[in-house]
Amino acid sequence: MRSLLILVLALAFAGLLADAAIIERTFHVGNLTIRRLCQTRVITAVNGRLPGPKLDVHEGDTVVVHVINDSPYDMTIHWHGVFQRLTPWSDGPNMITQCPIQPGNSYTYRFNVTGQEGTLWWHAHVSFLRATVYGALIIRPRGGAKSYPFPKPDKEATILLGEWWNDNIVDVDNRAFLTGQGPSISDAFTINGKPGDLYNCSNDEIYKLQVEAGKTYMLRIINAALNNQLFFKVAGHSFTVVAVDASYTNPYKTDVIVIAPGQTVDALMAAEAPPAKYYMASRQYNSISFPPPPFDNTTTRGVVEYASAPASSRPTMPLMPPFNDTATAHRFYSNLTSLLRPGRPTVPLHVDTSMFVTFGLGRTTCQPGQLLCNRTQGAVAASMNNVSFAFPTEMSLLEAHFNNVKGIYTRDFPDKPPVFFDFTNPAVNSDNALAPLLFTQKGTKAKKLKYNSTVEMVLQNTAILAAESHPMHLHGYDFYVLAQGFGNYDNAKARECFNLVDPQKRNTIAVPTGGWAVIRFTADNPGVWIMHCHLDPHLTIGLAMVFEVENGPTPDATIPPPLFGQPLGLGLGMIVDFAVEFRERGPSSRHRLQLCLSPPPPPPPPPPPPDFVWQ
Ligand code: C2O
């Protein structure tokens, strides 16, 4: 009897362990010498690989990643789409939730992946370094593949779409800053780090997916490109989308995937074509209204190869949509709906806080250090409600919030733009009377939210400088997309078509170019969370704002102090993780204020700039 009890207990304990594992990894960030497009380059990469290592975990697991920064640059890693409930210190955006990890230092990220499953990813969240510092983060259902709410695929493949510059990516960023202009355009797109055979010297640098006739493949597609939305197709095949941004969707059939930076799409693909070879291909969806500046119009491709395909056969190429095919992009983006699952959260029907937020490009006066900035035109900037987000320099916003330090940010992010004008009319750029609208002010402003309050945001794109579809990403939460459309938002009309039943749930929404989208979320995750455009060059010029979400009434709704002993980029060089031990100190205890070391002096001007594009 007694041994039976012990056996039962032992089994139960084993079951518990299997249910919630601790996945512990070390990320060495450092130089990697790599050959691409006929050139040998030194890039920043994790564990000597491009893309970086895949994290493969189960819902409910605890993830611990020790990041050791042996690169010459400041580093942070963001776990894109992970809620980070009560672990905002592990979110990763530079100067928002932590100091940068300086060269030679390290930082431990520790968080749970609870209440979310599907395809996410991780990436650097400082400068443009995520161009080469990124990888997949797959969260499987706790019950394994049999728990998918769709027929279990036979196999799966991760498709990380990336963007490549021959230039050093930090130079690209610095040059954009110094000149106050947009960055130079990329030289290639990549599939799992490989450009494919349409580029010079790249015949062997091509991703291959071997398939067996009759089997179904789940493609976990991630857009890790820095600055471009992408079309993705496979010749001779179509897809059934079953999830986006790690939220299940109603099955949606399509022969083209449209994906913005930050987004993920899980799509089933049946290998039912005649056994042969087929190209998978991806190239830009260019949403910029006018005038189309030069852009990276190249195509990356890989091969889907049937096991029985004749060795000598040549792959078929899919017909790609035109670069500016907004109709196709909008059809894909707007037709997705959430899969309703019993017991799971649904869209909030009651709204506590309503915001109307314009966003897009603009200009600002040249900032200190912008040595090559045109003094009459000013620098290209981007803003939300005409506030161009300025990153703090002394300490992270979360640090200032946690310790109630004044003077680092203000709580006056506006609920509406300073003026209502004809937002999407390009005349704003030529009418002298409207010229002041082009200028935007720098500021570090937060919108404060009560714990558990519900927020509705109308996101309205403007035509200032150019209308463009910006992928807006919110940290700490998923949100529902109730409606989206083109032109100026019309509240009465839009409300009639709100989807309040099964709206798509995302962490990144590509707001239609020259259009709007309405999102809702419940602020049930205390912390400081950045919302920003996931085209990185726009983040650095200010297309961002932060939500400051108050603690709730109970300890399990209160931010604990950061992990004791964390170097937080201060140079202690410790990687020992005291988390478990010192959590006990309780949420009320205060840790020593962490100041970030001031950034190194601005770099010397890099060589003469190539063609600039503000995109
Ligand atoms: Cu994927 Cu703030 O980023």
Side-chain angles (χ1 to χ4, degrees):
M1 185 62 207
R2 192 185 194 165
S3 54
L4 183 67
L5 185 67
I6 289 172
L7 181 69
V8 168
L9 280 176
L11 284 177
F13 189 58
L16 261 179
L17 282 183
D19 271 357
I22 297 181
I23 311 292
E24 188 166 5
R25 298 279 181 275
T26 300
F27 280 15
H28 285 274
V29 187
N31 284 345
L32 171 67
T33 304
I34 191 170
R35 211 173 152 73
R36 286 286 183 280
L37 314 186
C38 321
Q39 308 189 22
T40 301
R41 292 286 161 218
V42 176
I43 62 167
T44 306
V46 173
N47 296 353
R49 286 152 62 183
L50 177 73
K54 171 158 92 178
L55 287 178
D56 207 325
V57 305
H58 285 87
E59 192 273 330
D61 285 353
T62 298
V63 179
V64 181
V65 180
H66 307 288
V67 174
I68 300 171
N69 184 13
D70 288 327
S71 86
Y73 306 115
D74 282 356
M75 183 52 54
T76 69
I77 304 282
H78 168 54
W79 316 90
H80 180 115
V82 172
F83 299 146
Q84 299 290 2
R85 219 185 128 70
L86 298 184
T87 52
W89 306 103
S90 287
D91 192 37
N94 182 35
M95 297 311 293
I96 307 296
T97 61
Q98 70 172 103
C99 303
I101 313 166
Q102 303 223 321
N105 288 328
S106 55
Y107 187 88
T108 295
Y109 295 87
R110 185 187 188 103
F111 53 89
N112 299 327
V113 284
T114 303
Q116 48 187 160
E117 56 195 52
T119 305
L120 291 173
W121 60 302
W122 55 266
H123 61 77
H125 211 300
V126 53
S127 181
F128 289 175
L129 283 160
R130 76 172 179 80
T132 55
V133 177
Y134 64 90
L137 166 50
I138 314 270
I139 308 173
R140 297 176 189 283
R142 210 183 288 216
K146 63 178 187 308
S147 309
Y148 287 137
F150 47 82
K152 180 178 171 309
D154 297 296
K155 297 222 161 106
E156 58 175 73
T158 306
I159 309 279
L160 272 155
L161 304 173
E163 189 169 6
W164 175 265
W165 274 259
N166 285 330
D167 231 345
N168 176 302
I169 198 66
V170 174
D171 287 349
V172 172
D173 183 6
N174 287 340
R175 199 184 295 129
F177 174 76
L178 284 166
T179 57
Q181 299 295 306
S184 52
I185 61 175
S186 49
D187 296 291
F189 294 102
T190 55
I191 297 176
N192 293 333
K194 300 179 171 180
D197 57 356
L198 284 173
Y199 298 94
N200 290 338
C201 309
S202 303
N203 281 346
D204 297 325
E205 287 300 331
I206 185 162
Y207 170 67
K208 288 195 177 139
L209 174 65
Q210 317 277 351
V211 300
E212 252 175 86
K215 297 234 179 313
T216 303
Y217 293 78
M218 176 154 78
L219 306 185
R220 298 175 178 272
I221 307 161
I222 299 164
N223 186 344
L226 205 67
N227 204 17
N228 287 292
Q229 300 193 31
L230 295 164
F231 293 118
F232 175 85
K233 284 184 90 170
V234 176
H237 294 75
S238 61
F239 312 103
T240 305
V241 174
V242 292
V244 295
D245 295 6
S247 287
Y248 294 114
T249 62
N250 287 308
Y252 174 67
K253 288 197 190 320
T254 177
D255 68 345
V256 58
I257 303 288
V258 193
I259 187 165
Q263 296 183 329
T264 71
V265 174
D266 291 352
L268 303 179
M269 184 183 85
E272 280 167 348
K277 293 180 190 167
Y278 302 88
Y279 278 118
M280 60 169 71
S282 185
R283 69 174 192 178
Q284 182 173 161
Y285 158 48
N286 187 330
S287 66
I288 300 179
S289 59
F290 74 93
F295 63 98
D296 182 346
N297 62 2
T298 63
T299 304
T300 178
R301 59 186 185 181
V303 187
V304 173
E305 233 176 62
Y306 281 66
S308 43
S312 62
S313 64
R314 291 178 61 90
T316 330
M317 181 65 187
L319 182 65
M320 300 305 286
F323 292 110
N324 62 354
D325 192 347
T326 289
T328 293
H330 189 64
R331 189 179 322 118
F332 181 89
Y333 283 143
S334 62
N335 270 318
L336 299 166
T337 49
S338 291
L339 181 70
L340 294 178
R341 304 176 81 201
R344 308 296 164 110
T346 50
V347 58
L349 297 178
H350 156 87
V351 173
D352 297 312
T353 299
S354 294
M355 302 174 75
F356 186 98
V357 180
T358 53
F359 66 94
L361 301 178
R363 293 197 175 278
T364 188
T365 47
C366 298
Q367 304 294 302
Q370 292 194 296
L371 303 175
L372 303 178
C373 177
N374 180 323
R375 303 281 141 185
T376 39
Q377 275 195 338
V380 176
S383 64
M384 295 176 76
N385 275 348
N386 217 37
V387 184
S388 184
F389 184 78
F391 286 83
T393 51
E394 271 169 75
M395 70 181 74
S396 76
L397 295 182
L398 184 60
E399 184 74 44
H401 162 81
F402 190 81
N403 285 298
N404 212 357
V405 181
K406 308 266 177 296
I408 305 295
Y409 62 97
T410 52
R411 299 203 166 97
D412 54 350
F413 182 82
D415 285 342
K416 55 181 174 46
V419 248
F420 278 75
F421 59 100
D422 189 357
F423 303 116
T424 53
N425 187 342
V428 66
N429 297 294
S430 47
D431 186 338
N432 273 339
L434 296 175
L437 291 173
L438 271 55
F439 275 83
T440 175
Q441 298 297 324
K442 287 268 162 202
T444 311
K445 297 174 189 283
K447 169 71 186 174
K448 191 165 179 166
L449 296 174
K450 287 228 164 335
Y451 176 72
N452 248 340
S453 61
T454 52
V455 182
E456 179 179 287
M457 271 178 119
V458 175
L459 293 163
Q460 172 73 61
N461 185 213
T462 73
I464 296 177
L465 295 199
E468 179 175 2
S469 172
H470 297 266
M472 300 300 294
H473 170 49
L474 175 61
H475 286 220
Y477 301 93
D478 285 343
F479 50 75
Y480 294 92
V481 184
L482 306 193
Q484 42 187 321
F486 295 96
N488 295 334
Y489 179 72
D490 176 332
N491 192 44
K493 258 204 226 151
R495 263 166 215 277
E496 281 169 28
C497 47
F498 275 12
N499 180 346
L500 294 169
V501 179
D502 60 357
Q504 62 178 287
K505 202 178 185 186
R506 285 199 167 275
N507 60 49
T508 307
I509 167 81
V511 180
T513 175
W516 51 271
V518 183
I519 65 167
R520 272 188 202 174
F521 66 96
T522 302
D524 57 3
N525 189 9
V528 177
W529 307 106
I530 188 169
M531 181 179 204
H532 65 91
C533 176
H534 217 282
L535 306 176
D536 273 33
H538 294 173
L539 169 59
T540 50
I541 60 172
L543 220 175
M545 54 83 64
V546 292
F547 286 108
E548 178 186 37
V549 181
E550 290 179 343
N551 284 329
T554 53
D556 68 352
T558 300
I559 306 173
L563 307 182
F564 184 79
Q566 276 284 6
L568 287 169
L570 263 184
L572 303 182
M574 299 159 76
I575 48 163
V576 189
D577 183 0
F578 291 106
V580 180
E581 203 179 328
F582 286 92
R583 259 231 152 113
E584 317 293 273
R585 298 194 310 157
S588 61
S589 62
R590 288 282 179 270
H591 69 111
R592 194 160 55 85
L593 199 63
Q594 303 279 357
L595 296 179
C596 302
L597 295 184
S598 51
D611 41 341
F612 287 126
V613 189
W614 31 262
Q615 54 166 349

